[in-house]
């Protein structure tokens, strides 16, 4: 940043441990169309190779090994995604607190400006009244 200060998100990102960054990137990858398309292609190829049996039936229908792989993937994916969601909740809370703090500061500044404008307005009115009285005395 130009003034050298880091925003809350930069500070939060720098504070993450390797495992937390890894969990976030895994959850981000698994929640994408790219992952779904690649996994669909792998499953289709797996089933096709086992049906055609050019290499041999290493996992014949009902694809028990494939189901075991999916179960293992789900067993690891669920807690990783939950960790990423917990961190997202934490980021949302930090952002809400930062937004609240910014709003409080902005409110204070607006109130100070309002007081200054009121003082300027009162000063101008006093001057106008003094001029009117002066004109009234001269008339």
């Amino acid at each position: 940043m130009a003034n050298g200060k880091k925003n809350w998100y930069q500070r939060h990102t720098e504070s993450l441990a390797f495992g937390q960054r890894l969990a976030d990137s895994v959850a981000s990858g698994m929640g994408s169309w790219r992952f779904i398309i690649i996994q669909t292609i792998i499953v289709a190829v797996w089933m096709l190779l086992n049906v055609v049996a050019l290499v041999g039936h290493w996992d014949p229908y009902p694809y028990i090994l494939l189901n075991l792989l999916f179960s293992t993937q789900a067993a690891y994916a669920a807690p990783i995604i939950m960790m990423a969601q917990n961190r997202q909740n934490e980021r949302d809370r930090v952002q809400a607190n930062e937004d609240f703090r910014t709003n409080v500061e902005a409110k204070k500044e607006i109130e100070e400006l309002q007081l200054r404008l009121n003082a300027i307005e009162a000063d101008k009115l006093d001057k106008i009244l003094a001029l009117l009285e002066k004109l009234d005395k001269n008339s």
Side-chain angles (χ1 to χ4, degrees):
M1 298 189 81
N3 60 5
K5 290 186 177 181
K6 295 179 181 178
N7 65 27
W8 69 267
Y9 184 75
Q10 290 168 326
R11 290 189 308 268
H12 174 77
T13 303
E14 289 175 356
S15 71
L16 293 178
F18 172 75
Q20 293 172 319
R21 286 192 305 273
L22 179 63
D24 286 348
S25 63
V26 168
S28 176
M30 291 183 84
S32 69
W33 277 107
R34 182 175 186 252
F35 176 81
I36 291 171
I37 292 168
I38 290 171
Q39 183 162 323
T40 302
I41 291 169
I42 290 171
V43 169
V45 168
W46 181 287
M47 295 169 109
L48 182 66
L49 289 176
N50 275 287
V51 168
V52 174
L54 294 176
V55 180
H57 294 285
W58 74 87
D59 187 23
Y61 182 83
Y63 312 113
I64 294 171
L65 181 58
L66 181 62
N67 283 317
L68 177 64
L69 292 174
F70 278 142
S71 296
T72 304
Q73 179 187 35
Y76 282 100
I80 289 172
I81 292 169
M82 288 175 64
M83 286 187 287
Q85 286 176 337
N86 288 340
R87 260 187 309 291
Q88 181 61 47
N89 290 340
E90 181 183 331
R91 282 190 294 269
D92 291 345
R93 277 191 299 276
V94 169
Q95 183 176 13
N97 287 335
E98 287 291 321
D99 289 346
F100 178 76
R101 187 184 57 76
T102 301
N103 290 341
V104 167
E105 289 175 7
K107 182 182 177 208
K108 287 179 184 176
E109 289 178 14
I110 290 169
E111 288 172 349
E112 289 174 10
L113 287 172
Q114 186 66 41
L115 290 173
R116 288 180 190 166
L117 287 174
N118 288 342
I120 291 170
E121 187 176 320
D123 185 47
K124 283 185 178 182
L125 285 175
D126 288 343
K127 288 180 181 178
I128 291 171
L129 288 174
L131 285 172
L132 287 175
E133 285 177 10
K134 189 177 184 181
L135 284 174
D136 195 33
K137 287 181 184 178
N138 291 339
S139 317

